[in-house]
Amino acid sequence: MAGKSIGRKRVVVVGGSFGGVNAAYELRRRLPKDAEITVISRDAEFTFIPSLPWVIMGWRDPARLQVHLDAPLRRQRIRFVQGEVKELDPQKCEVRTASQAHPYDALVIASGAELDYAAVPGLGPEEGHTCSAFTVAEAVAARDALAKVLAADKGRILIGAAAGASCIGPAYEIVMMIDSMLKRFRKRHRFSITFITPEPFLGHFGVGGIGVSPRLLQEEFAERHIESAVNAPISSVVPGHLILADGSEYAFDFSLVIPAFLGCPFVRGVDGMANPKGFITVTPQLASTKFANVYAAGVAVAITPPEPTPVPVAVPKTGHMTELMAQAAARNIAAEFAGGVKVDGLTLPSSCIADAGDTAFYMFADPFLPPRNKVIVKRGKWARYLKLAFEKYYIARIRHDLPSLDFGW
Ligand SMILES: Cc1cc2nc3c(=O)[nH]c(=O)nc-3n(C[C@H](O)[C@H](O)[C@H](O)COP(=O)(O)OP(=O)(O)OC[C@H]3O[C@@H](n4cnc5c(N)ncnc54)[C@H](O)[C@@H]3O)c2cc1C
């Protein structure tokens, strides 16, 4: 398709993470040479977010998880603008940062979510009393807070997720890694570890579980002596204490809680484009249900949970799914411009590795939401090494637009 004359097209991609960079690279591969592709991202760097739990443990240097986007994108003839999109005007077909308007023929929104700490009084690292894991700054602050607590002779560790959270996997990783680390220091017997989750059972992950993941995680928590509370909406946090909706109170010396997400403010500002939480409603081809030349990928997309749960749990959009969605959105934009068959970008598989410090879990689900054609769940140290290798490959891939590898998330 590249090379066919379709008039000079401008595609703007908002976001410089798994969705944005993959969409931009795929657009470059599929659109004619003269197409103008612009990535606008608030952050100057791509961060390999799945390794942030290792930063919290002090096992990884955060600087090694980041790639400055300007040079790699320029090499692929993709313009990079570091800036925050404040406004989207779908009628005029332009997005605006504080200083500039960027017109488009097609737009890809891969701007993730806003972290909704305000939904629970006292939640979050800035105005609240709990740590978090979504940015390098948050992971470094969590690392320092955890190190202080682990240096003491005894303590209470509380890890969890707020009602409505979707990205609960990292909380499982962190709680098991802390357990592993304390065992390594031979201090585990002097610390209590508790896990609080809105999920109806351990290993639900917002998708009703993946194969035997609920059983494996229940056994794992039992072997590790990790106490847990499920169906547990957090109502507030005060210094050193987390309070659930039923009034029960958990004291902690270190706490990390995954918040719920909201869609990005510039998306929420457009009438009718998003669900009540601000996530973009899309067709199976990932085009906005309201504006045909606006596409979305990754966390920004609205996906309905496969089943209602007593306490709300949202569907996670994993890095692997985000990458596949971004590639599908790019293919569909190319098909829109030049004619061609569009692909389904919503019924996707996902693979994921959850590290547990001394072992790891590899999970594959196709499609990600049940009922599924194929599920693999395996436990073993090998999965830790695979995750580490995958991180290195992925960072090289962002630098050099390497081909996709369908494993290892
Ligand atoms: C601690 C942690 C561990 C994880 N581990 C795994 C894992 O092991 N496996 C896995 O598959 N997934 C994992 N995930 C999930 C994975 O990180 C996400 O699926 C992925 O980051 C989603 O990518 P995205 O591009 O949709 O959004 P994001 O990664 O959230 O990126 C959003 C991008 O948009 C930019 N942006 C936001 N607002 C604006 C704006 N207004 N204007 C311009 N730019 C904007 C941001 O700067 C950023 O570049 C993990 C997530 C976390 C937090």
Side-chain angles (χ1 to χ4, degrees):
M1 180 182 309
K4 183 172 172 182
S5 174
I6 54 171
R8 189 157 189 266
K9 297 291 188 187
R10 296 159 305 181
V11 184
V12 171
V13 177
V14 185
S17 183
F18 291 91
V21 178
N22 279 297
Y25 282 162
E26 191 68 18
L27 284 163
R28 182 79 288 160
R29 276 191 284 278
R30 290 187 176 268
L31 293 181
K33 280 202 172 85
D34 66 351
E36 191 184 284
I37 302 165
T38 303
V39 170
I40 306 174
S41 181
R42 196 177 47 206
D43 299 309
E45 314 84 12
F46 168 89
T47 301
F48 191 78
I49 296 170
S51 291
L52 292 181
W54 287 338
V55 170
I56 295 172
M57 299 303 124
W59 298 342
R60 304 289 287 140
D61 171 3
R64 305 191 72 151
L65 304 177
Q66 294 194 303
V67 178
H68 278 273
L69 284 172
D70 194 25
L73 291 178
R74 207 168 346 105
R75 276 199 296 276
Q76 306 296 334
R77 293 173 291 108
I78 296 165
R79 200 159 70 96
F80 178 64
V81 176
Q82 189 194 348
E84 180 165 352
V85 170
K86 301 278 189 198
E87 227 181 323
L88 161 60
D89 184 339
Q91 268 79 30
K92 274 196 170 170
C93 292
E94 64 179 34
V95 289
R96 299 177 199 123
T97 61
S99 60
Q100 219 184 339
H102 299 268
Y104 61 80
D105 296 298
L107 174 69
V108 181
I109 301 177
S111 49
E114 187 179 48
L115 304 170
D116 192 11
Y117 293 120
V120 179
L123 193 73
E126 270 180 26
E127 289 169 24
H129 317 286
T130 55
C131 292
S132 192
F134 285 86
T135 62
V136 165
E138 285 184 352
V140 166
R143 176 194 69 192
D144 296 345
L146 180 63
K148 268 193 209 143
V149 173
L150 297 191
D153 252 3
K154 56 181 184 177
R156 294 155 301 183
I157 308 287
L158 192 61
I159 306 297
S166 61
C167 188
I168 300 179
Y172 282 97
E173 291 189 289
I174 291 163
V175 79
M176 290 187 283
M177 285 181 199
I178 293 175
D179 169 70
S180 301
M181 189 144 81
L182 283 167
K183 282 180 189 148
R184 242 179 257 173
F185 297 161
R186 302 206 59 78
K187 281 188 174 187
R188 177 65 182 89
H189 59 296
R190 288 193 248 120
F191 281 77
S192 68
I193 305 185
T194 307
F195 189 78
I196 305 282
T197 180
E199 297 160 284
F201 49 84
L202 293 176
H204 178 281
F205 297 128
V207 293
I210 297 173
V212 293
S213 68
R215 184 176 55 75
L216 277 189
L217 281 163
Q218 265 156 33
E219 285 174 10
E220 195 72 29
F221 272 38
E223 273 172 26
R224 291 174 185 266
H225 305 286
I226 297 173
E227 300 296 323
S228 61
V230 297
N231 278 324
I234 300 168
S235 64
S236 64
V237 187
V238 294
H241 292 266
L242 184 145
I243 298 124
L244 298 186
D246 67 4
S248 47
E249 212 171 302
Y250 292 82
F252 64 82
D253 300 298
F254 174 83
S255 176
L256 185 147
V257 177
I258 304 287
F261 289 170
L262 283 177
C264 285
F266 78 91
V267 171
R268 302 203 313 264
V270 180
D271 222 20
M273 197 169 77
N275 70 11
K277 289 274 177 189
F279 295 97
I280 301 165
T281 50
V282 293
T283 66
Q285 290 76 35
L286 297 171
S288 150
T289 47
K290 178 126 188 195
F291 305 103
N293 63 343
V294 176
Y295 285 74
V299 172
V301 172
I303 300 184
T304 309
E307 57 182 17
T309 47
V311 179
V313 186
V315 174
K317 293 106 187 193
T318 66
H320 185 200
M321 273 167 83
T322 298
E323 173 187 323
L324 297 177
M325 281 185 189
Q327 290 166 345
R331 283 176 72 160
N332 291 341
I333 288 171
E336 184 69 44
F337 287 163
V341 181
K342 293 191 179 176
V343 292
D344 183 341
L346 266 187
T347 315
L348 295 170
S350 179
S351 49
C352 179
I353 297 174
D355 186 31
D358 49 8
T359 186
F361 299 88
Y362 174 84
M363 290 174 268
F364 173 83
D366 180 18
F368 188 52
L369 295 184
R372 303 182 174 110
N373 295 311
K374 189 172 180 183
V375 175
I376 306 170
V377 179
K378 300 272 179 212
R379 177 186 187 276
K381 266 195 180 141
W382 56 271
R384 296 199 74 213
Y385 301 121
L386 189 58
K387 185 155 183 157
L388 187 60
F390 191 73
E391 171 208 291
K392 303 217 175 301
Y393 148 78
Y394 212 89
I395 286 170
R397 172 171 166 188
I398 294 295
R399 282 206 177 96
H400 305 293
D401 187 17
L402 300 179
S404 299
L405 283 183
D406 265 352
F407 75 96
W409 278 92

